[in-house]
Amino acid sequence: MSKAQVLHELLARPGLVPAVGAHDALSAKLIEAAGFPVVWSSSFTVSAAQRAMPDVNLLTMTETVEAAAHINRAVGLPVIADCDNGYGNAVNVVRTVEEYERAGIAGLCFEDNIFPKKCSLYPGMRRELLSAEEHAGKIRAAKRAQRDPATVIIARTEALIAGWGMAEALRRAHAYAEAGADMILMHSKAPTAAEVLEFMRRWDRPTPIVVVPTLYPAVTFEELEAAGVKLVIWANQVLRGAVKGIQATLETLRRARRLSALDDHIVTLEEIYRHVGVEEFKAIEREFLPRGQSDTRAVIIGAGSGKSLLPLTQDRPKCMLDIKGRTVLERQLDVLRACGVQDIAVVRGYRKETVVAPGARLYDNDAYEETGELASLFAAEAELHGRFAFLYGDVLFERAVLEKVLRAPGDVVIAVDRAWVDQRDRLLPLAKPVDLVVTSDPPRPSRRSLGEEESDRLVRIGQRLPPDAATGEFIGLACFSARGAELLREAWARARAAGDGPLHEADRASTAAFTDILQALVDAGHPVTCVSTYKGWLEIDTFEDYQRAWAEIRS
Ligand code: SPV
Ligand code: MG
């Protein structure tokens, strides 16, 4: 059913129908939300709100039809558009009808002002009207031009506004009804409803009557209904209420100079989100956009004191070490963002005041001296909900490595460097602790493969594994699905609930490493997927590492 048909049927029912004036799409939405059945796209309020201009035909037909179209698109309600005088003669009226119908407008109102018109409400104006014959011709033109037979054409006379008397008002109303108008709008500037009520007593035709009681506001809905009026237009009160609200808001802001002082004057952001359909927008994004990593956040732990790098770390943590003009942390943020991860949290501890992480949220583990990586990670417990990537704060990754981990399916995914196996003999005996791993199905040199090794699962992880048994090295990069994050939180809660007892290789949960909880997850029967990488990362743990970073990083 077209909106014109909806309006037609609404007007066919007994009783008075209210239409409320909108000045833009949002005010129209509020009118709809408040339960009114019809929106009036008002020339007075559109000129005032959208152009801060008087209502004197300064806006072109194209501008007013565009405003009406925005209003119409924002609501499910039928819209009656104020088409002023049709922006010219009958020829202009024909195009006006075509354009407004194309914009989905259900009703069109044409007034018998000459072009350019002057708003009916302005006091002290000399008023000129078209001849009744000419306006009747415009109404006939409008009726012939309409494509949808249900479109409601309202003929409006300004005879009473111009002070031409009741007889002329009746003569014009008759002429326009005979020309085929679906409704007659009888405008009045009298201070009471008496004039309009007298017209109603003398109106002897079936054509229904519309009134706009702006200047006789005391009249009630019931009085108009009892007089037989069909449609009442409350034309500009929404705009006037909005202006009052804006003024009160501005005055409070001028005095208080603090936004929280406005709380009683303004609606919440959520209310605006609701009216403009932010949820619908998000649903479309979820359904149709490539998933990317916009729903993945990252948590970087950079709390430790980095003693192995003294004196470089005397005044800053490892993550703030500079490598060719950018800190380790900045480089991590850049790689994360390049992979689409925008939502980033950093846990700091040692020399926390020196940590600079633009755009990231900061968490503190002030007990970094006595606690371990897990305690640092859980300092950002608020972040460990939904999908997230975990990063050691002292490791640099190539983008491809991070992308591979982010892409891999699985609730808990870790990156394992297979170069370990080739380098093992050269590295033994180990000069520093290494996060060694044993996986269930490591890639074999004899077997070529393409794509992901989704079946390779973590079996053992830790720094005390026999190096000969290790099939790779954990590089300090992991990714948890929402379920994985839940499993992690549960494993941590279990470890904490058991007192501060041992957790895998750690004597106490509070001092445990990230690898300890990975083993706890495996031991509890939760699969941890191992994504293979071959080099493509650098840990900044020793002075040699730091030198290598300077040598290997090009920019
Ligand atoms: C409007 O709202 O623009 C109207 C009604 O046409 S009035 O302002 O009273 O002319
Ligand atoms: Mg108007």
Side-chain angles (χ1 to χ4, degrees):
M1 199 153 69
S2 72
K3 284 198 183 182
Q5 285 167 320
V6 173
L7 178 63
H8 210 87
E9 290 200 1
L10 191 65
L11 294 168
R13 288 191 220 139
L16 176 60
V17 175
V20 181
H23 51 275
D24 59 13
L26 183 57
S27 59
K29 266 193 130 43
L30 295 171
I31 292 165
E32 179 172 50
F36 291 100
V38 180
V39 174
W40 165 250
S41 174
S42 151
S43 69
F44 178 95
T45 65
V46 165
S47 306
Q50 300 195 13
R51 299 287 188 284
M53 284 184 181
D55 182 15
V56 291
N57 270 145
L58 285 177
L59 272 68
T60 63
M61 186 272 282
T62 342
E63 287 176 299
T64 54
V65 76
E66 194 186 355
H70 287 311
I71 286 171
N72 184 54
R73 253 184 257 122
V75 294
L77 299 180
V79 175
I80 301 177
D82 177 357
C83 301
D84 292 323
N85 40 20
Y87 314 98
N89 63 21
V91 182
N92 301 81
V93 165
V94 170
R95 180 170 177 223
T96 300
V97 173
E98 283 170 9
E99 298 295 342
Y100 276 77
E101 274 199 318
R102 217 196 308 278
I105 302 302
L108 284 75
C109 179
F110 294 98
E111 65 202 31
D112 55 8
N113 275 312
I114 58 158
F115 184 95
K117 55 89 58 96
K118 291 168 192 162
C119 168
S120 322
L121 307 173
Y122 298 160
M125 295 255 167
R126 207 176 73 78
R127 298 190 175 275
E128 289 174 71
L129 305 186
L130 285 183
S131 71
E133 291 63 35
E134 177 160 7
H135 195 60
K138 286 165 101 169
I139 297 302
R140 283 204 312 280
K143 284 305 294 175
R144 208 184 60 190
Q146 76 185 80
R147 292 269 167 80
D148 184 341
T151 299
V152 176
I153 302 293
I154 303 174
R156 159 171 162 178
T157 180
E158 299 282 294
L160 296 175
I161 296 280
W164 290 9
M166 187 59 72
E168 179 64 10
L170 279 160
R171 188 178 80 81
R172 285 178 176 251
H174 285 147
Y176 305 158
E178 269 151 34
D182 298 298
M183 305 183 91
I184 303 291
L185 193 160
M186 182 53 61
H187 210 354
S188 164
K189 62 177 181 187
T192 71
E195 191 174 52
V196 149
L197 296 179
E198 186 196 339
F199 170 81
M200 290 308 295
R201 275 193 299 278
R202 295 174 64 173
W203 183 237
D204 54 358
R205 302 288 168 92
T207 311
I209 299 300
V210 186
V211 299
V212 187
T214 308
L215 295 178
Y216 49 99
V219 71
T220 65
F221 187 87
E222 290 71 23
E223 281 172 302
L224 292 172
E225 189 166 55
V229 175
K230 185 70 233 172
L231 181 72
V232 58
I233 300 175
W234 293 319
N236 52 45
Q237 292 69 25
V238 168
L239 174 66
R240 288 156 67 191
V243 169
K244 193 158 187 173
I246 292 170
Q247 285 171 334
T249 304
L250 291 171
E251 179 54 22
T252 308
L253 188 57
R254 197 181 59 77
R255 271 191 277 111
R257 298 204 288 185
R258 173 175 51 85
L259 292 181
S260 63
L262 299 178
D263 288 351
D264 292 342
H265 291 281
I266 61 179
V267 297
T268 59
L269 285 170
E270 287 67 28
E271 178 154 2
I272 302 291
Y273 302 162
R274 196 154 47 74
H275 291 304
V276 303
V278 170
E279 278 311 315
E280 288 83 341
F281 152 78
K282 282 193 195 159
I284 295 169
E285 259 205 350
R286 274 195 300 276
E287 193 171 349
F288 299 111
L289 255 54
R291 272 180 61 83
Q293 299 301 336
S294 58
D295 59 348
T296 306
R297 62 176 59 148
V299 183
I300 302 172
I301 55 163
S305 63
K307 289 200 183 75
S308 55
L309 265 165
L310 280 170
L312 287 178
T313 49
Q314 197 152 20
D315 61 350
R316 69 193 69 188
K318 280 193 280 187
C319 63
M320 290 309 291
L321 286 177
D322 175 89
I323 300 171
K324 293 194 174 165
R326 282 189 296 151
T327 65
V328 174
L329 185 55
E330 268 179 276
R331 288 175 179 278
Q332 283 192 328
L333 297 181
D334 285 351
V335 173
L336 282 164
R337 288 179 178 137
C339 290
V341 179
Q342 307 291 342
D343 196 6
I344 304 171
V346 176
V347 182
R348 40 179 212 173
Y350 174 69
R351 296 271 187 250
K352 66 179 182 185
E353 65 290 346
T354 64
V355 173
V356 180
R361 282 184 297 284
L362 297 175
Y363 290 83
D364 294 342
N365 175 12
D366 289 322
Y368 63 89
E369 291 276 25
E370 307 89 56
T371 60
E373 289 161 6
L374 277 178
S376 288
L377 176 60
F378 276 87
E381 185 157 6
E383 305 284 346
L384 310 183
H385 294 262
R387 204 172 131 75
F388 79 94
F390 165 88
L391 289 81
Y392 283 161
D394 58 355
V395 178
L396 293 170
F397 307 96
E398 277 175 8
R399 179 174 164 176
V401 174
L402 182 59
E403 268 169 355
K404 200 171 178 192
V405 171
L406 292 174
R407 235 187 7 244
D411 287 328
V412 185
V413 176
I414 65 169
V416 173
D417 185 10
R418 302 300 179 177
W420 157 260
V421 180
D422 303 340
Q423 297 168 344
R424 179 169 52 202
D425 295 340
R426 194 162 51 76
L427 295 176
L428 287 174
L430 291 173
K432 61 174 188 178
V434 174
D435 291 338
L436 296 172
V437 299
V438 176
T439 67
S440 65
D441 188 17
R444 272 164 279 157
S446 57
R447 200 185 66 192
R448 292 184 182 147
S449 72
L450 196 64
E452 321 291 348
E453 325 78 37
E454 284 161 22
S455 57
D456 197 18
R457 296 283 150 79
L458 181 65
V459 180
R460 308 274 311 151
I461 187 164
Q463 300 186 343
R464 295 197 213 131
L465 290 187
D468 291 348
T471 57
E473 178 179 1
F474 172 56
I475 69 171
L477 174 61
C479 188
F480 292 80
S481 69
R483 172 75 187 134
E486 199 180 327
L487 294 171
L488 179 74
R489 294 196 311 274
E490 283 168 8
W492 178 243
R494 270 198 305 278
R496 302 295 288 171
D500 199 8
L503 184 65
H504 185 41
E505 291 181 349
D507 298 337
R508 287 181 291 132
S510 58
T511 58
F514 181 68
T515 50
D516 292 320
I517 206 149
L518 287 176
Q519 188 66 56
L521 286 169
V522 171
D523 294 347
H526 303 301
V528 172
T529 303
C530 296
V531 163
S532 291
T533 69
Y534 196 88
K535 304 188 180 175
W537 66 289
L538 245 175
E539 183 185 28
I540 316 288
D541 203 24
T542 63
F543 193 68
E544 268 171 30
D545 293 335
Y546 186 58
Q547 278 180 313
R548 189 169 325 123
W550 270 84
E552 289 183 11
I553 286 176
R554 265 172 269 130
S555 60

